[in-house]
Amino acid sequence: MERIDPTLPSRKVHNFLCTLKKPAASIIVQLRTGHVALNAFLKKIKASESALKFQTQRRVLDRKIGLQPASLRTLLGEPKNMRHTIQFIQDTGRFPKYNVLRSEGPETPLLRALAALPPSPPRPVKPALSTAWELVLKEDFRNDIAKDLMEPAIKGTTGILESIKTHGPTVKRVVITSSFASIIDPAKDPRPGYTYNEADWNPITYEEGLNNSVNGYYASKKLAEKAAWDFVEREKPGFALTTLCPPMVYGPPEQEVTSMSNLNTSAADVYKIYNGKSQSHGGVFIWETEASANQRYLITAGNLSTQLFLDYIWKHHHDHAQANNVYKGTPGVPLWPEGGVYTGDNSKNKRDLGIQYHSFDAMMADTIARFKELERQLGN
């Protein structure tokens, strides 16, 4: 965000966002923080495909911003240009699920808080009432694991909470989607016979997280969540905190997908299996239930093996599996280490939140249907 607006926290941006309707404010906040469905949006308006497709809209945008370069700082750093950016988004239809100019009533206290966020490190976490960190383990994290992976998660979390405390006094609940990575102790894998629950914490330290990108990922999840609980304990804000700690989350990708090679991690894993390219072994609104205030939840539907995916594909998509030489494994036999693996206790979330999990077959049916729809849309 410093590259976009070095004046943060900026009162002029805060005041501008408060004049927008919620859809437009949401898109601008996501673009400024780098967490938007079309995360390469502002780069793509210069790409040949987009330049050819949206020549008219681009000329209108260029006329409005004048002689200034169409840079991130120009389009998202100045309120007067942000309005032109919003109109450009509307005109190109690049966000079909958002009609960014439609009227939805006044801004929310949370948007006012987000507008006043302090400067953030690279790749900050997505700011929202319910926040989440996406699994990304890239080679470049090895260059500076602390700067590129751990500090954005930790400082991004506390920065959002501090901003909500200061600028969103009417916010009563903050829900953070953390990760099973903050619960599991990888050093003890596969830990047969052990049942993890919300009382478990990954023992990894900050120093251990610096050893490699995988450790850095585990540490970023654990330390970011721990920082959130420490903040609540220390600052006594007016909101209650709830954290959710799921393992891998599977299901149809509903975000904007520009390429089947650019799916999120869990969807990409299923897609690879489906196409023979891999042989690798809530009930109520959480903020509406008092039982979940200042609680931590392990969100899991149970143990999962790659063999389940393989069995489903061969059973329900036999011709496709045969044509793509999908690995069969050993049908009906989970690909688990000899002796078994740990399990997870989800009784607390079922009791407090009334969560009912989708069946594996229902999830797979929805996911593969979505893959086929995306392939048609993208011409794959």
Side-chain angles (χ1 to χ4, degrees):
M1 286 183 69
E2 291 179 357
R3 292 184 294 116
I4 295 173
D5 190 352
T7 67
L8 286 169
S10 172
R11 178 56 55 182
K12 66 179 181 180
V13 173
H14 165 264
N15 291 340
F16 171 71
L17 288 179
C18 287
T19 68
L20 301 177
K21 301 302 180 182
K22 286 189 287 187
S26 175
I27 286 293
I28 288 296
V29 169
Q30 290 179 66
L31 286 168
R32 281 170 59 89
T33 57
H35 284 259
V36 68
L38 189 57
N39 58 8
F41 173 72
L42 290 173
K43 291 182 180 179
K44 287 198 172 208
I45 64 173
K46 293 185 177 181
S48 58
E49 177 271 334
S50 292
L52 290 173
K53 189 173 182 180
F54 301 118
Q55 287 184 33
T56 301
Q57 295 91 333
R58 181 60 189 274
R59 283 196 295 269
V60 171
L61 177 63
D62 287 342
R63 285 199 299 271
K64 288 181 177 179
I65 65 175
L67 298 177
Q68 305 171 81
S71 64
L72 288 172
R73 180 172 293 186
T74 298
L75 297 176
L76 296 174
E78 286 292 329
K80 64 180 181 181
N81 289 331
M82 287 185 213
R83 198 172 295 279
H84 302 323
T85 302
I86 292 170
Q87 185 63 57
F88 177 78
I89 293 170
Q90 180 74 13
D91 292 345
T92 59
R94 292 309 301 245
F95 297 89
K97 292 188 178 182
Y98 294 85
N99 183 349
V100 296
L101 299 181
R102 72 175 183 261
S103 175
E104 281 198 2
E107 76 286 347
T108 65
L110 181 61
L111 283 176
R112 288 196 295 271
L114 294 175
L117 279 172
S120 301
R123 283 190 284 275
V125 298
K126 178 182 177 181
L129 182 59
S130 177
T131 69
W133 296 272
E134 184 176 330
L135 171 57
V136 180
L137 294 179
K138 294 183 178 178
E139 292 293 320
D140 60 0
F141 284 148
R142 297 179 183 178
N143 296 332
D144 195 330
I145 293 171
K147 178 183 177 183
D148 294 338
L149 185 57
M150 293 167 59
E151 290 300 323
I154 298 167
K155 293 182 178 179
T157 299
T158 55
I160 289 174
L161 296 180
E162 180 62 48
S163 188
I164 293 173
K165 178 192 174 189
T166 304
H167 302 282
T170 62
V171 174
K172 297 302 180 185
R173 182 71 59 85
V174 174
V175 181
I176 295 177
T177 303
S178 181
S179 171
F180 184 59
S182 69
I183 289 180
I184 189 176
D185 183 352
K188 295 181 179 179
D189 270 358
R191 212 171 184 179
Y194 188 80
T195 300
Y196 284 101
N197 61 36
E198 291 81 2
D200 290 298
W201 282 91
N202 187 332
I204 195 167
T205 65
Y206 189 97
E207 291 70 26
E208 291 170 338
L210 299 175
N211 291 340
N212 55 65
S213 59
V214 173
N215 276 15
Y217 170 75
Y218 279 111
S220 71
K221 296 294 188 177
K222 180 268 184 84
L223 297 174
E225 186 189 352
K226 190 66 167 61
W229 288 114
D230 289 346
F231 178 91
V232 171
E233 175 67 23
R234 181 180 66 252
E235 301 294 331
K236 304 292 189 296
F239 57 80
L241 176 67
T242 302
T243 62
L244 309 178
C245 302
M248 296 297 285
V249 179
Y250 293 102
E254 297 298 341
Q255 73 275 17
E256 183 166 355
V257 177
T258 57
S259 168
M260 296 305 288
S261 63
N262 199 29
L263 292 166
N264 59 292
T265 302
S266 57
D269 286 346
V270 179
Y271 190 65
K272 288 176 183 177
I273 295 171
Y274 176 64
N275 285 297
K277 297 178 181 178
S278 174
Q279 296 183 13
S280 60
H281 303 65
V284 296
F285 287 117
I286 294 166
W287 49 87
E288 291 182 349
T289 171
E290 289 300 320
S292 65
N294 296 315
Q295 295 294 318
R296 187 179 192 227
Y297 293 97
L298 170 56
I299 306 297
T300 175
N303 288 28
L304 191 64
S305 166
T306 305
Q307 189 63 51
L308 290 174
F309 294 95
L310 299 173
D311 290 350
Y312 179 91
I313 292 167
W314 276 100
K315 178 180 179 181
H316 297 279
H317 301 273
H318 185 274
D319 291 345
H320 174 92
Q322 200 165 44
N324 288 274
N325 195 29
V326 172
Y327 182 59
K328 279 191 174 182
T330 306
V333 180
L335 294 171
W336 292 334
E338 186 176 352
V341 294
Y342 58 80
T343 59
D345 180 3
N346 62 13
S347 59
K348 182 180 177 182
N349 68 67
K350 287 184 175 180
R351 181 191 68 235
D352 290 359
L353 307 178
I355 289 180
Q356 296 181 353
Y357 293 94
H358 291 290
S359 69
F360 178 81
D361 282 6
M363 178 277 293
M364 284 296 291
D366 290 346
T367 301
I368 291 177
R370 178 60 174 158
F371 287 160
K372 291 180 177 180
E373 179 185 5
L374 288 170
E375 287 175 341
R376 288 194 298 271
Q377 291 174 358
L378 298 171
N380 286 33

